[in-house]
Amino acid sequence: MTSTQDLQTVVAEHDRGHVVAIDSAYDVDARNTGRDVVVSASYSGVLPARFVADRRPRGAIGLDCGIGPEGAGIAGLWFYEALGIPAATADVTGVHLGDGVDVHRHGRISRVNAVAAACGVTVGMPVADAALLLLTTDPAAQTPSEITRRTVMEEGPDGRAVVCTDSIAFGTPADRDINVLVTAGHTGRSSVPYLRRFSPYGFICSDGGRGRDDSGVAGLAIVEADGLAGACVDARTAMMGDGLSSYRDGVISAVNALAARCGVEIGMPASEAAHRLLHR
């Protein structure tokens, strides 16, 4: 472990660069550009992310600081994601605030952005392991619009599966009549062309906060005529734009008649609803 000008501590080295621990996000500098993974003991909101991202490090890990209202403590993850920078947060309860070396030594990952996930970083991983993975792994070359994250959550009979993705627009022809898609966009009328195009075995989207005249769930009834069984999760229970959150955190707020016949009920966890759609 070596120090450079007291503000940065090199905690791991590789021929690609270093893992550098810093006590504050403001301690990142030009030495880190395009080369180092920065582990910071600052919160991971948009403000510190702006300073870190300005130097374009290879990757960034900060603290979740309890996440807080409107996800302010981790909002920088998506700022980084839009710039193609892999980033993650460490659970603040296991580390010392303001001590980057301690975060590297004792921290565990609590949240990741899609670019870091593509590098193999997972929730629960030690920060030291995650940082080294970001240093040695290049995410697939994708523009932000190409990051579609598809995760199989459960496998069922006849090759069927529950698949999480962040938008119904990320369905594929392979989903037709076989996969239950759990997504995270609203189920208004603009979702209908995608539901009809991919025609999944079943689907769960978000109600988007429902909107005036329940416009956020209007697609449920429209596609029922196409034989599609579907439901929505309450947008207050799961993150919009994050299909994994819909699956893990979502609570069903609306169903169409076909989904109801499969046993899907309002108030049910989305994971259970997806299971019932899969095994109907």
Side-chain angles (χ1 to χ4, degrees), residues 148-154 161-167 170 180-184 204 242-248 274:
T148 57
R149 285 203 305 178
R150 288 174 59 89
T151 307
V152 175
M153 306 306 294
E154 180 184 358
V162 174
V163 177
C164 284
T165 189
D166 296 334
S167 169
F170 298 153
V180 175
L181 293 180
V182 180
T183 76
I204 298 173
D242 187 331
L244 290 172
S245 180
S246 291
Y247 181 84
R248 293 168 175 160

Side-chain angles (χ1 to χ4, degrees), residues 16-38:
R16 293 164 62 93
H18 307 105
V19 176
V20 177
I22 54 178
D23 294 343
S24 168
Y26 302 109
D27 296 336
V28 68
D29 64 32
R31 290 170 294 171
N32 312 126
T33 301
R35 176 173 174 80
D36 297 335
V37 173
V38 176

Side-chain angles (χ1 to χ4, degrees), residues 171-228:
T172 73
D175 297 315
R176 178 174 292 276
D177 299 325
I178 194 164
N179 289 333
V180 175
L181 293 180
V182 180
T183 76
H186 69 73
T187 320
R189 67 179 188 177
S190 59
S191 69
V192 171
Y194 298 102
L195 288 165
R196 286 175 168 163
R197 181 185 307 168
F198 303 121
S199 189
Y201 191 67
F203 69 91
I204 298 173
C205 300
S206 174
D207 66 15
R210 302 194 81 112
R212 185 163 61 88
D213 299 326
D214 270 348
S215 54
V217 301
L220 288 179
I222 296 172
V223 300
E224 188 174 286
D226 299 285
L228 297 181

Side-chain angles (χ1 to χ4, degrees), residues 61-74:
I61 298 174
L63 301 180
D64 62 18
C65 284
I67 301 177
E70 300 181 24
I74 62 171

Side-chain angles (χ1 to χ4, degrees), residues 34-103:
R35 176 173 174 80
D36 297 335
V37 173
V38 176
V39 177
S40 165
S42 291
Y43 76 103
S44 299
V46 173
L47 180 60
R50 282 168 44 199
F51 286 91
V52 174
D54 189 51
R55 297 298 184 178
R56 293 285 179 151
R58 192 181 294 278
I61 298 174
L63 301 180
D64 62 18
C65 284
I67 301 177
E70 300 181 24
I74 62 171
L77 290 180
W78 299 285
F79 183 90
Y80 289 124
E81 185 173 304
L83 297 173
I85 298 173
T89 60
D91 184 343
V92 72
T93 62
V95 302
H96 289 163
L97 281 155
D99 186 338
V101 172
D102 188 79
V103 174

